[in-house]
Amino acid sequence: MRKPAMTRLAGTLAAIPMCAILSGAVTSPAYAQTSSPSPVLNNQLNLGEIFSEQTLNVQTVSDGVTASTVAQGTGISGGVTNADVAVTSNQENQGAIYAHTIVDVGANAGAASAVRSTAAGNSASLSASNGTISAFAVQVNSGEVTARGQVEAAEAEAKDLTVSTLAMGNTSGVNLDNGSAGLRISQNNSANTLADGGAIVQYVSGTSAITATTTGNNINIQGGNQSAARAITDQANTSEVTQASKFTAYGNSYLTATTATATGNNLSATNEGPLMDVTSNQWNTSYVRGQAEGTSYQFGAAQTQAYAAGNSSQVNNVGTELVLDNLQTNNGGGVEATASFEGHDGYDAVTTATAMGNAVTGYVCAKCSGRMTVTNNQTNSADIGAKSSTTITSSGRQVTGVSTAIGNNASFNISAPN
């Protein structure tokens, strides 16, 4: 199995053979190129510790509480409309990244509250509307990335509550609207990533959604309105630990969801248009853990979900053609998902734990005369474990538990869109 080669870029995009990537890509019919692409050369290096912390102390609010905390080593964003751009980007972070949010509520959190903590080593975001992006990007992270989000309301009530905690070593996003893209993205993360926290609330009368998401390397490609893309991606996650964990405790709750998702390498590519062509190479040696634990003395409907994967790829095209060359290798530390829920009496409880070494899905639209060409190679040599536990000490209406562990999982479909 070939391990992704991570090399620092030098020079301009003109020196890079992008024609192999862009060849055949569909340019927007609404835009005709009249000049050469605008060149963008980005070099970023962060060596220092980056930390962002926030504490909110409230007694009673009517509308709700909003708290957002962000820490990031390097970041680049840019977009074009009715134009073309050629991007060469080098991003490297060596400093520790830490984002922490604490919300203390004495009596009432109000109608709707949102608490968000986001930490990233390197971040890139590009977009094109009626234009073309050609990009060659490298992201290297060796600084630990930690995001924590916590709500302390042990003697308080809330109606609707959202707590989102996100930690990423490297993340890249590309958005197209009637555009086209030729992409070469390489990501290398060697540092631990952690998203942690939870909520303690006496009474939730509405909906409480508490989530933790962690990934060593993350790539999102989104195309709409007859877009097209060709992409070559390399992702290597060699840290010791990649973990997402959330813990919740309620006295009385109506609708609750506690979710933890941990992925060594993640690729999500979705397009609506004539072509989505992806060559993906993912390599994970990290111990990946997703842990979700919830309790509620009285409950209406309670969901507790833990998901962990060494490598994950989702490549879809609601259009004519999908081409996917997928290579995934997971070994080393192992993958573990554990989910638990405990309640005294209530109605419905669902507890789900899913662990996978390698997972890939591909989809193309049947109603669009879709065609799929797939080459898939998956190798897992690590231990994979999933554990689901549910305890109801008095009475309930329906209790469901699901535990799934898979070494390699592949799903490819040509069907009508939902």
Side-chain angles (χ1 to χ4, degrees):
M1 294 298 165
R2 64 182 186 271
K3 182 176 180 180
M6 302 295 167
T7 57
R8 184 169 177 82
L9 304 175
T12 65
L13 196 66
I16 300 169
M18 290 296 294
C19 58
I21 301 176
L22 288 170
S23 177
V26 178
T27 303
S28 162
Y31 167 68
Q33 181 177 352
T34 58
S35 60
S36 60
S38 299
V40 176
L41 176 60
N42 177 62
N43 291 292
Q44 295 175 311
L45 172 63
N46 179 65
L47 303 175
E49 178 183 1
I50 307 296
F51 62 91
S52 180
E53 297 179 289
Q54 181 177 183
T55 301
L56 291 181
N57 295 297
V58 299
Q59 185 67 20
T60 297
V61 294
S62 59
D63 293 342
V65 173
T66 301
S68 179
T69 307
V70 178
Q72 182 175 290
T74 74
I76 178 176
S77 64
V80 292
T81 300
N82 297 325
D84 298 341
V85 65
V87 179
T88 303
S89 178
N90 294 284
Q91 295 174 292
E92 182 174 357
N93 175 66
Q94 298 180 18
I97 310 297
Y98 183 66
H100 189 193
T101 309
I102 299 176
V103 175
D104 288 310
V105 181
N108 197 320
S113 295
V115 180
R116 296 180 176 85
S117 301
T118 303
N122 300 297
S123 177
S125 177
L126 301 173
S127 64
S129 177
N130 299 323
T132 299
I133 296 175
S134 59
F136 201 155
V138 170
Q139 295 178 317
V140 178
N141 180 66
S142 58
E144 290 195 356
V145 178
T146 304
R148 299 184 187 275
Q150 185 72 29
V151 173
E152 300 285 351
E155 299 180 357
E157 63 179 277
K159 185 178 180 182
D160 294 332
L161 175 64
T162 301
V163 179
S164 174
T165 308
L166 176 61
M168 300 172 290
N170 298 299
T171 182
S172 293
V174 178
N175 288 285
L176 304 173
D177 177 19
N178 194 23
S180 60
L183 310 170
R184 180 71 168 89
I185 302 173
S186 294
Q187 296 177 322
N188 189 342
N189 178 65
S190 59
N192 294 343
T193 54
L194 171 66
D196 190 29
I200 302 173
V201 186
Q202 174 62 31
Y203 175 48
V204 174
S205 60
T207 300
S208 178
I210 314 298
T211 63
T213 305
T214 301
T215 179
N217 297 300
N218 180 66
I219 297 174
N220 289 314
I221 302 170
Q222 183 76 37
N225 190 20
Q226 294 302 304
S227 294
R230 293 181 183 270
I232 299 174
T233 63
D234 292 306
Q235 296 173 302
N237 184 45
T238 58
S239 64
E240 292 184 2
V241 177
T242 304
Q243 178 172 322
S245 49
K246 277 296 181 183
F247 309 91
T248 56
Y250 305 101
N252 187 335
S253 62
Y254 180 50
L255 300 175
T256 64
T258 304
T259 306
T261 302
T263 311
N265 297 300
N266 183 67
L267 168 65
S268 177
T270 301
N271 185 59
E272 182 271 312
L275 176 66
M276 174 61 81
D277 186 338
V278 175
T279 299
S280 170
N281 184 8
Q282 296 178 320
W283 175 285
N284 179 69
T285 62
S286 177
Y287 169 60
V288 181
R289 179 179 178 85
Q291 181 177 5
E293 297 184 6
T295 65
S296 185
Y297 187 80
Q298 294 180 315
F299 59 94
Q303 293 184 348
T304 308
Q305 300 174 316
Y307 177 86
N311 299 300
S312 178
S313 295
Q314 310 93 38
V315 182
N316 304 314
N317 188 29
V318 183
T320 307
E321 187 169 8
L322 172 69
V323 180
L324 174 60
D325 186 347
N326 183 68
L327 173 61
Q328 295 174 319
T329 305
N330 182 64
N331 55 38
V335 178
E336 185 175 10
T338 175
S340 67
F341 175 77
E342 181 175 348
H344 181 65
D345 65 80
Y347 288 88
D348 303 327
V350 179
T351 308
T352 305
T354 304
M356 296 186 184
N358 299 301
V360 59
T361 61
Y363 163 84
V364 69
C365 172
K367 289 185 177 180
C368 313
S369 301
R371 184 180 68 171
M372 178 186 297
T373 303
V374 175
T375 302
N376 182 50
N377 291 282
Q378 297 172 307
T379 301
N380 175 67
S381 59
D383 295 338
I384 311 297
K387 180 180 179 181
S388 172
S389 173
T390 307
T391 302
I392 306 300
T393 59
S394 178
S395 64
R397 183 174 64 181
Q398 182 172 352
V399 177
T400 303
V402 180
S403 182
T404 305
I406 300 175
N408 298 299
N409 187 63
S411 176
F412 305 109
N413 297 284
I414 300 176
S415 60
N418 295 329

